[in-house]
Amino acid sequence: MDKIKHSFNSIASKQGSYSVGLTALVIAIVVLINLIVGQLPSQIRQIDISTNNIYEITDTSRELLDGLDRDVTFTVLADKSSTDERISNFIDRYSALSSHINVEWIDPVLHPSALTTYSADSDTIVVSCDDTDRSTTVAFSDIITYDEMSYYTTGSATESEFDGEGQLSSAVNYVTTDVTRNVYYTSGHGESSLSSSVTDLLGKSSLTLTELNLMMASSIPEDCDLLLMDAPANDLSEDEVSMLTDYMDGGGHLFVILGSDVSQTPNLASFLETYGLTSAGGYIADMQRSYQGNYYYIFPELSVSGDMANELQSDMVLLVNANGLVEGTPSRDTITLTPFMTTSSSGYAVTEDGQSTQGTYVLGATATENDSRLTVISSESMIDETITSQFTNIENLTLFMNAVTANFDDIENLSIEPKSLQIEYNTMQYTGLIGLAAIVGIPVVFLLYGLRRWMKRRKA
């Protein structure tokens, strides 16, 4: 019996009891922290571990929400408990960025009259602003889109993109402002068709698109805020060039994307020479800034600032088979020419007969005169969907939209591109007992262990 009593009074026994007490204290701290974290809002306790950060909100949207001075209501016509968590989580995260956004969920099964009241379908977000009396809708199917073409190869449509931020920011901007701009795009010269990704981005920035056949028009419409010419394969007539000249003399805004062969459009080339841009007479290769040794796949050097640089993270724009332009002297002193995309000094203009001339060539430029503005990009690959969809990390469309909206003082580039869903994306909830033990408990253990060593040294 005395031996048993002595064993409990031994140093080893006391240290063991101390360790048990220490472990119990750490566990109690971790449990307490878990309870506290569990009560935090979801946008705080969720950690975005998605590969393309589908829950990340760009500075463009944050600035929009920071400047919001009107109340906006998101009326979600859906059962929240059965809604895709990616959508409900994103709504929570987005609305938490502004006190002017109020979210209301209405289950249309329990309240079927709501669909009639809001003139909307189930699984739809009605975005409205009482101050402007404007409203619009965002369907869940516009947030999570599907690749319908995959049905023919796999037998089922697969998820393609997540466009929560782009859709909601566009809707908030629409209901809180009444500014829209008219973009006319030319036809009749073999122009390329604008892809759905481009038209969607233009729409997100409150830009309306209307087709204009210059051959059938006597003048550029007075309500044309921007005239877009996308890769004409055939030349303009002299009358059409005169029409463009009159439009620019009146303060017009023209955006020209050159086609694959500038030699087939001499009248258009002559018009551009007025602004100091002369054809280099060949396709451009770059020995320094090319894609994996493909010298005609060029990453131009960018010289952008202000609005033109918005949301450009990597400055990586890819142009394929670009026409070379040489910076010259504009025909009038009142014209200011500013290149914003060029080759390196190791650029080459290569003609069809194999002749090449080294130099630094212009691949994108703006020319301003009084209130008029001309923007020129030297390759249709800038907005070609086969390029922009294949190389998902390039910023062609971002720079294109910046160049478009730079024509307006009252329009911002809110054309936020969707994020890919081609691989699995997840949201990790707060890390729980084990995770928080790793984050908080382990440092506490080391702290208490150090305190124990210090106390032992004092006793010694």
Side-chain angles (χ1 to χ4, degrees), residues 174-203:
Y174 172 79
V175 301
T176 55
T177 64
D178 56 1
V179 177
T180 57
R181 292 294 184 180
N182 298 313
V183 177
Y184 283 79
Y185 61 97
T186 64
S187 62
H189 310 89
E191 289 92 339
S192 296
S193 299
L194 297 175
S195 67
S196 59
S197 58
V198 171
T199 58
D200 288 346
L201 292 176
L202 291 168

Side-chain angles (χ1 to χ4, degrees), residues 43 57 61-74 91-103 172 176:
Q43 64 270 16
I57 298 175
S61 292
R62 291 179 182 274
E63 290 174 4
L64 171 70
L65 297 176
D66 285 343
L68 203 60
D69 57 2
R70 290 171 169 167
D71 292 337
V72 176
T73 301
F74 289 179
I91 292 173
D92 290 343
R93 285 171 171 265
Y94 189 92
S95 60
L97 295 178
S98 175
S99 60
H100 286 283
I101 295 181
N102 176 59
V103 180
V172 169
T176 55

Side-chain angles (χ1 to χ4, degrees), residues 122-438:
S122 298
D123 296 336
T124 296
I125 307 169
V126 179
V127 182
S128 60
C129 176
D130 290 339
D131 290 346
T132 61
D133 196 28
R134 303 189 79 180
S135 66
T136 188
T137 59
V138 177
F140 287 0
S141 58
D142 292 329
I143 295 178
I144 298 179
T145 61
Y146 286 79
D147 179 11
E148 301 296 339
M149 294 300 296
S150 65
Y151 179 83
Y152 299 99
T153 57
T154 64
S156 62
T158 58
E159 292 180 350
S160 175
E161 295 175 324
F162 184 88
D163 196 21
E165 182 186 1
Q167 293 292 332
L168 292 183
S169 291
S170 176
V172 169
N173 181 64
Y174 172 79
V175 301
T176 55
T177 64
D178 56 1
V179 177
T180 57
R181 292 294 184 180
N182 298 313
V183 177
Y184 283 79
Y185 61 97
T186 64
S187 62
H189 310 89
E191 289 92 339
S192 296
S193 299
L194 297 175
S195 67
S196 59
S197 58
V198 171
T199 58
D200 288 346
L201 292 176
L202 291 168
K204 287 179 180 179
S205 291
S206 300
L207 300 171
T208 60
L209 280 171
T210 306
E211 182 180 350
L212 176 65
N213 190 318
L214 291 179
M215 293 290 291
M216 300 172 63
S218 58
S219 62
I220 309 298
E222 292 184 0
D223 66 345
C224 177
D225 298 306
L226 177 66
L227 183 64
L228 176 61
M229 188 176 297
D230 183 18
N234 304 315
D235 202 10
L236 279 66
S237 68
E238 292 183 0
D239 289 339
E240 290 174 302
V241 172
S242 296
M243 193 185 309
L244 291 182
T245 301
D246 292 340
Y247 173 66
M248 296 298 287
D249 288 345
H253 295 168
L254 174 63
F255 200 123
V256 179
I257 301 175
L258 297 178
S260 58
D261 192 353
V262 176
S263 65
Q264 300 299 314
T265 56
N267 287 337
L268 176 59
S270 178
F271 174 81
L272 297 181
E273 287 179 8
T274 303
Y275 292 87
L277 292 171
T278 305
S279 172
Y283 291 111
I284 301 301
D286 197 318
M287 301 298 107
Q288 288 187 9
R289 298 182 60 83
S290 60
Y291 174 72
Q292 297 184 354
N294 296 291
Y295 299 129
Y296 293 96
Y297 283 60
I298 302 171
F299 293 108
E301 294 184 350
L302 303 185
S303 300
V304 292
S305 60
D307 292 342
M308 285 283 283
N310 282 347
E311 293 299 332
L312 290 177
Q313 305 296 328
S314 64
D315 288 348
M316 297 299 286
V317 170
L318 179 64
L319 297 183
V320 179
N321 294 336
N323 293 279
L325 296 171
V326 178
E327 182 179 0
T329 303
S331 62
R332 296 184 294 272
D333 294 338
T334 51
I335 297 175
T336 301
L337 177 63
T338 307
F340 62 85
M341 282 197 299
T342 64
T343 66
S344 70
S345 59
S346 296
Y348 286 83
V350 183
T351 61
E352 291 186 0
D353 59 5
Q355 299 295 318
S356 62
T357 304
Q358 184 177 0
T360 300
Y361 295 95
V362 176
L363 303 174
T366 59
T368 57
E369 183 181 25
N370 300 323
D371 294 329
S372 68
R373 183 184 180 95
L374 168 67
T375 306
V376 181
I377 291 177
S378 66
S379 174
E380 58 188 305
S381 62
M382 182 74 177
I383 59 173
D384 188 331
E385 194 164 28
T386 59
I387 300 296
T388 58
S389 62
Q390 180 181 358
F391 299 90
T392 56
N393 292 329
I394 61 176
E395 298 180 307
N396 288 33
L397 294 179
T398 302
L399 181 58
F400 167 74
M401 285 304 306
N402 286 348
V404 168
T405 54
N407 286 274
F408 315 112
D409 294 331
D410 51 1
I411 292 288
E412 295 183 30
N413 180 8
L414 292 174
S415 52
I416 299 159
E417 295 183 52
K419 297 179 176 68
S420 175
L421 285 176
Q422 294 301 311
I423 57 178
E424 184 177 355
Y425 295 88
N426 296 294
T427 294
M428 182 171 68
Q429 298 285 342
Y430 73 100
T431 49
L433 181 62
I434 297 176
L436 282 178

